[in-house]
């Protein structure tokens, strides 16, 4: 059911279920913003962990939220094409200062076009992330340190990076400008646990 929902509708549902963690079209547009979009990582507190955490497991997901802080609609590239598949990445820094760039592997596409959402002023777009995702028979996310590929854990500062190079799309009547550029979230301190050995179905969230 959730797989087929519009991400903006999913955010409204998350708002209701979480008691108001995110608003739905409630952000006040900021005409002075240096960039019309902002990025944040949404990690909820858990009664089972004393600190925020992410499990690398097909049954675990977290969310990255892209917000339109401007007074104008923004054409936001979707992830379902070669143009948008690798636009989201993550930087992790451990306590020793070592940096790791977590990126998606390329995928093959038959229907391939820079399709986009229209993000209205004050709206939020939710990207669903599963670090253990299997897509087209391969692991989607790569770049983890050894500890996070062998069943270990690591405390990190993690930030999300959203970078789009494609400048235009087509809407059936002509070219349409897309938001393009680079934005980064504020880093969040969290634990990351490799729990792939506990997966029930390794292809649960892939094709």
């Amino acid at each position: 059911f959730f797989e087929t929902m519009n991400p903006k509708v999913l955010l409204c549902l998350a708002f209701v279920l979480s008691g108001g963690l995110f608003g739905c079209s409630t952000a006040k547009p900021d005409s002075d913003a240096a960039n019309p979009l902002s990025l944040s990582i949404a990690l909820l507190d858990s009664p089972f962990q004393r600190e925020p955490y992410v499990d690398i497991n097909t049954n675990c997901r977290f969310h990255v939220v892209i917000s339109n802080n401007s007074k104008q609609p923004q054409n936001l590239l979707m992830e379902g094409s070669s143009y948008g598949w690798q636009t989201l990445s993550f930087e992790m820094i451990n306590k020793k200062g070592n940096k790791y760039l977590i990126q998606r592997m390329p995928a093959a596409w038959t229907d391939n076009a820079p399709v986009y959402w229209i993000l209205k002023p004050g709206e939020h777009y939710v990207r669903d992330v599963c670090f253990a995702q299997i897509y087209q028979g391969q692991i989607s996310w790569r770049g983890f340190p050894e500890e996070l590929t062998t069943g270990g854990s690591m405390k990190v500062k993690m930030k999300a990076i959203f970078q789009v190079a494609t400048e235009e799309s087509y809407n059936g009547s002509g070219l349409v400008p897309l938001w393009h550029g680079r934005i980064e979230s504020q880093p969040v301190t969290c634990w990351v646990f490799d729990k792939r050995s506990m997966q029930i179905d390794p292809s649960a969230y892939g094709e």
Side-chain angles (χ1 to χ4, degrees):
F1 172 70
F2 291 104
E3 289 288 331
T4 60
M5 291 182 67
N6 184 310
K8 291 191 285 186
V9 175
L10 181 60
L11 180 59
C12 297
L13 180 60
F15 173 74
V16 174
L17 296 178
S18 65
L21 176 64
F22 300 114
C24 186
S25 298
T26 59
K28 295 181 180 179
D30 183 0
S31 59
D32 296 326
N35 195 308
L37 302 182
S38 62
L39 190 66
S40 59
I41 298 175
L43 292 181
L44 298 178
D45 291 332
S46 167
F48 308 108
Q49 294 287 342
R50 295 164 61 178
E51 299 179 83
Y53 72 97
V54 173
D55 283 344
I56 304 177
N57 184 289
T58 52
N59 299 311
C60 178
R61 298 181 174 195
F62 66 97
H63 301 96
V64 172
V65 183
I66 303 172
S67 302
N68 182 2
N69 304 313
S70 75
K71 294 182 178 179
Q72 301 297 326
Q74 302 294 324
N75 297 324
L76 190 64
L77 188 64
M78 295 170 62
E79 63 181 310
S81 71
S82 65
Y83 302 92
W85 185 248
Q86 296 176 284
T87 52
L88 186 64
S89 61
F90 297 86
E91 181 186 272
M92 294 182 182
I93 303 177
N94 66 9
K95 62 181 181 181
K96 296 181 180 179
N98 297 322
K99 293 183 179 181
Y100 305 93
L101 184 61
I102 315 303
Q103 298 175 297
R104 253 179 171 171
M105 296 292 290
W109 303 93
T110 50
D111 297 324
N112 191 34
V115 184
Y116 61 94
W117 298 106
I118 299 176
L119 195 64
K120 297 178 182 178
E123 284 192 335
H124 313 278
Y125 172 71
V126 178
R127 286 281 295 264
D128 196 55
V129 180
C130 174
F131 274 156
Q133 181 189 35
I134 306 293
Y135 189 77
Q136 296 180 348
Q138 68 175 356
I139 298 172
S140 287
W141 295 93
R142 301 288 179 91
F144 296 102
E146 183 178 358
E147 294 93 326
L148 298 181
T149 62
T150 55
S153 62
M154 180 181 290
K155 189 173 185 179
V156 300
K157 287 186 176 180
M158 180 173 70
K159 69 177 178 182
I161 302 165
F162 184 62
Q163 187 166 359
V164 176
T166 306
E167 298 183 8
E168 294 178 322
S169 185
Y170 188 77
N171 66 358
S173 59
L175 293 175
V176 176
L178 299 175
W179 178 89
H180 56 280
R182 176 187 172 106
I183 52 176
E184 300 181 1
S185 73
Q186 291 294 318
V188 296
T189 300
C190 63
W191 281 92
V192 183
F193 298 92
D194 177 21
K195 293 188 177 181
R196 276 172 277 217
S197 62
M198 301 172 63
Q199 292 173 180
I200 298 174
D201 180 1
S203 61
Y205 294 124
E207 295 182 3

